[in-house]
Amino acid sequence: MSDKRETPLSSPSLEEHHCSVDLRMEKLGLVPFLKDLSEEQLRQINKKFTAIHYARGETIYRQGNSATMLRVVVAGNVKLVAHTLEGESVLLDMLQPGDFFGNPTASGKDVYNETAETQTPACILSIRLHDFREVINQYSPVAVSVLDITTDRLNESRQRIQHLSTLPVTKRIAHILVTLGNKFGEENRHGLLIQLPLSRKDLADMAGTSTATASRIMSQFQEDDLITSGRQWVAIKDKPELLRIPAES
C-alpha cells in the first residue's frame, strides 16, 4: 500500500481522559508563562480555570467578540482564523495541547482579533482575564514572561506579513511546512510527521494563495520527494531541501 493511502495520524479519544486534573496540570505546565512555577503554584492556578469540551468544527469565539478569556488547549487541536474586510479567511495559527490563545493583556474594551475554531474534538481551559491579572500580580515571573511572549508574537506577525508580501508562493508554502514540522512534527518512518488534519485550504489560507495553487505546489513537492502525504496528514522527507528552495520567483 502506498504512503498516500495510509493514515499515520493518531487520534486518541477525548473521552478517555475527560480533562482530568493530572492532564490539566500537565498541559498548564507546558504553557510558556507558567512552566517555571512549582507544582503547588500550578495547582492553585488550575482552580481558576474552567474546562469545556468542544466537538470538532465548533467555534470557541469569533473575531470581534469582547476579549474576556484566556484559554489553554488541553486536548485536541484549535485553529485561529482572521477574516478580512473582503470576506477572505487567513489562517493565522494552529494550536496543540499546551498552547494558549486569546490576548493575555487585553483590557475591558478589547476584542478578539481572530476566530478560534476546533479542528478536532477538544478540551479547553478558560480563565477570566481579571482572574489572570490576579495571577500576574501574585507571580511576577509570569508577568515578565507574558510581556516577552507578547513581544515575540508581535515579531512573528511582522515576519509573516513580510513573507506574504515578499516571498514567492512556493517559498511561502515550504516555510509554512517547515514551521509546522518544527512545532508539531514527530519523526517516524514517513519522515517528520505533522500530526494535524491539515487540508489544502488550510495551507492555502496560511500562505495567502488559492487552494488550487497550494495543491499544485504540494503535488510538486511530492514528485520531488520532499514530502509525502495522505488524508489529513503531511510528512516532511527532506527538510534541508525545503529550506533551500530559492526566495526568487
Side-chain angles (χ1 to χ4, degrees), residues 76-96:
N77 295 105
V78 171
K79 65 180 180 181
L80 303 180
V81 181
H83 303 283
T84 67
L85 294 176
E86 293 76 23
E88 297 179 352
S89 297
V90 178
L91 182 55
L92 302 176
D93 202 359
M94 294 183 173
L95 309 178
Q96 63 183 339

Side-chain angles (χ1 to χ4, degrees), residues 19-84:
C19 276
S20 66
V21 173
D22 287 344
L23 185 66
R24 290 170 60 151
M25 290 284 293
E26 176 189 344
K27 301 311 177 186
L28 283 177
L30 296 176
V31 177
F33 49 74
L34 299 178
K35 63 183 179 63
D36 293 328
L37 299 181
S38 69
E39 182 176 349
E40 180 55 33
Q41 289 171 329
L42 281 178
R43 287 193 181 279
Q44 294 304 314
I45 292 173
N46 175 56
K47 295 177 183 178
K48 298 177 180 291
F49 281 87
T50 300
I52 301 177
H53 289 78
Y54 293 88
R56 178 180 179 178
E58 279 199 76
T59 298
I60 300 171
Y61 59 77
R62 296 186 184 279
Q63 182 175 334
N65 288 165
S66 296
T68 59
M69 295 278 192
L70 180 71
R71 294 172 169 88
V72 176
V73 183
V74 173
N77 295 105
V78 171
K79 65 180 180 181
L80 303 180
V81 181
H83 303 283
T84 67

Side-chain angles (χ1 to χ4, degrees), residues 173-217:
I173 289 181
H175 174 79
I176 290 167
L177 289 175
V178 171
T179 299
L180 292 175
N182 290 340
K183 180 175 181 178
F184 298 100
E186 297 179 6
E187 291 287 353
N188 76 350
R189 67 182 183 83
H190 294 270
L192 186 61
L193 178 66
I194 301 172
Q195 299 216 51
L196 280 176
L198 181 66
S199 69
R200 293 294 184 265
K201 184 179 185 306
D202 289 335
L203 195 59
D205 288 346
M206 294 187 81
T209 189
S210 67
T211 302
T213 297
S215 297
R216 175 179 56 78
I217 292 172

Side-chain angles (χ1 to χ4, degrees), residues 76-236:
N77 295 105
V78 171
K79 65 180 180 181
L80 303 180
V81 181
H83 303 283
T84 67
L85 294 176
E86 293 76 23
E88 297 179 352
S89 297
V90 178
L91 182 55
L92 302 176
D93 202 359
M94 294 183 173
L95 309 178
Q96 63 183 339
D99 286 340
F100 74 94
F101 58 110
N103 185 356
T105 61
S107 67
K109 296 182 179 179
D110 288 331
V111 298
Y112 295 117
N113 295 318
E114 72 286 321
T115 295
E117 303 172 354
T118 58
Q119 292 179 287
T120 64
C123 177
I124 308 297
L125 293 183
S126 302
I127 182 172
R128 293 191 178 278
L129 286 176
H130 67 78
D131 289 331
F132 184 67
R133 291 191 190 97
E134 292 180 1
V135 172
I136 289 177
N137 292 334
Q138 186 172 358
Y139 304 103
S140 57
V142 174
V144 174
S145 184
V146 166
L147 180 60
D148 290 342
I149 290 167
T150 301
T151 301
D152 289 343
R153 287 190 168 185
L154 178 60
N155 290 335
E156 289 172 2
S157 296
R158 288 172 175 166
Q159 184 184 52
R160 184 157 185 266
I161 292 171
Q162 182 183 25
H163 286 171
L164 287 173
S165 60
T166 62
L167 295 180
V169 65
T170 301
K171 181 68 175 179
R172 296 202 302 264
I173 289 181
H175 174 79
I176 290 167
L177 289 175
V178 171
T179 299
L180 292 175
N182 290 340
K183 180 175 181 178
F184 298 100
E186 297 179 6
E187 291 287 353
N188 76 350
R189 67 182 183 83
H190 294 270
L192 186 61
L193 178 66
I194 301 172
Q195 299 216 51
L196 280 176
L198 181 66
S199 69
R200 293 294 184 265
K201 184 179 185 306
D202 289 335
L203 195 59
D205 288 346
M206 294 187 81
T209 189
S210 67
T211 302
T213 297
S215 297
R216 175 179 56 78
I217 292 172
M218 290 292 284
S219 295
Q220 186 61 56
F221 285 170
Q222 291 196 78
E223 289 180 15
D224 295 340
D225 207 31
L226 302 180
I227 67 170
T228 184
S229 68
R231 185 174 179 272
Q232 297 189 330
W233 63 274
V234 176
I236 297 173

